Amino acid sequence: MIKAAFFDIDGTLVSLRTHRIPASAAVALEQMRARGISIIVASGRPRYQLGICSGHGFDAFITLNGQLCYDAAGIYRAAPIDARDARVIVDHVLAGRYDAIALQAQRGFANRESASVRAMCRKVDFEYRADDFGRALDEPVYQFCAFVEPGAERDVLSGTHTLTHTRWTELFCDILPTCGGKAAGVAATLKRMGIDAKEAVAFGDGGNDIDMFDAVGTSVAMGNASDEVKRHADHVAPGVDEDGLYRAALELDLI
């Protein structure tokens, strides 16, 4: 019996075309809650980029790819990037090796408003402004978004010791601690709720959802996911714009 459902946002819960939660997905969320299933956001987005999720009764939020997790009672997992490695990334950016966004608990900002940064803002329907990137060292950073092409992640990680990367778009990769990832957030959330992994389902469409799929008993890739993501999922649903979440929930007897 499923007791908890985890949802990626972009391309899973929210359409990348309309930047909205489809009406059918909202109905599915409501019906799952009515059946006693806890619904949890599991996203690479930070807390201040979750306005789209308000009003749907989510029980917990796994943000920044598992690095900062919270519920109504407060934060229950916080795993910022090691300060020494944060300095390495900041030095890379200040040297002009690549553009990046620093995501902290209360704010996020870019080193400059480049074409890639603007494209990312359009993709997620959220504005990140430029600031002195050295300010990323003023308080903990939970994730960097590095604007490099697929295959160039090793260059971003050069000189660091505790970082890894994940990716859900060709625009940029997410840089986070090796102890992180959505799977770590899922594990912390399930422990907090007293739910076994076999009693959980996860929905996703990006490369950063693959480790989450391995952390639950049932996984669902959206039809708009890449072939690699689909290969790691137990089920493949129609796309987010084809009522995929609702139809998968119906097929899995979640609603």
Side-chain angles (χ1 to χ4, degrees), residues 152-167:
E153 294 88 355
R154 183 175 297 181
D155 294 334
V156 178
L157 298 179
S158 64
T160 68
H161 301 283
T162 64
L163 301 183
T164 187
H165 66 87
T166 188
R167 182 184 288 270

Side-chain angles (χ1 to χ4, degrees), residues 90-98:
V90 168
D91 287 346
H92 285 179
V93 174
L94 293 178
R97 291 175 58 173
Y98 49 83

Side-chain angles (χ1 to χ4, degrees), residues 214-236:
D214 294 335
V216 297
T218 305
S219 55
V220 182
M222 305 302 288
N224 44 277
S226 68
D227 289 341
E228 180 186 8
V229 174
K230 291 175 182 176
R231 284 195 296 270
H232 284 83
D234 299 315
H235 305 273
V236 177

Side-chain angles (χ1 to χ4, degrees), residues 48-61:
Y48 37 87
Q49 203 182 331
L50 296 181
I52 189 70
C53 298
S54 63
H56 293 283
F58 284 101
D59 295 284
F61 297 86

Side-chain angles (χ1 to χ4, degrees), residues 16-30:
L16 291 173
R17 179 176 58 84
T18 67
H19 302 297
R20 297 289 181 268
I21 296 177
S24 62
V27 169
L29 293 174
E30 182 179 359

Side-chain angles (χ1 to χ4, degrees), residues 71-147:
D71 56 18
I75 295 172
Y76 56 88
R77 172 176 161 80
I81 288 174
D82 180 88
R84 291 165 295 184
D85 282 342
R87 178 172 290 278
V88 171
I89 299 297
V90 168
D91 287 346
H92 285 179
V93 174
L94 293 178
R97 291 175 58 173
Y98 49 83
D99 293 324
I101 289 175
L103 297 174
Q104 299 169 322
Q106 301 298 326
R107 69 186 294 253
F109 56 93
N111 64 307
R112 67 188 185 105
E113 294 180 29
S114 65
S116 296
V117 170
R118 290 195 298 271
M120 180 263 208
C121 292
R122 290 193 299 271
K123 190 176 184 71
V124 300
D125 195 30
F126 190 85
E127 288 296 321
Y128 282 103
R129 300 299 184 184
D131 200 350
D132 173 9
F133 212 68
R135 295 187 63 186
L137 302 176
D138 292 346
E139 58 184 88
V141 175
Y142 289 86
Q143 180 175 291
F144 287 103
C145 299
F147 291 83

Side-chain angles (χ1 to χ4, degrees), residues 2-5 32-39 59 253-255:
I2 297 297
K3 296 181 179 180
M32 277 186 249
R33 293 192 72 235
R35 293 187 62 170
I37 298 173
S38 296
I39 57 173
D59 295 284
D253 196 30
L254 302 177
I255 58 177

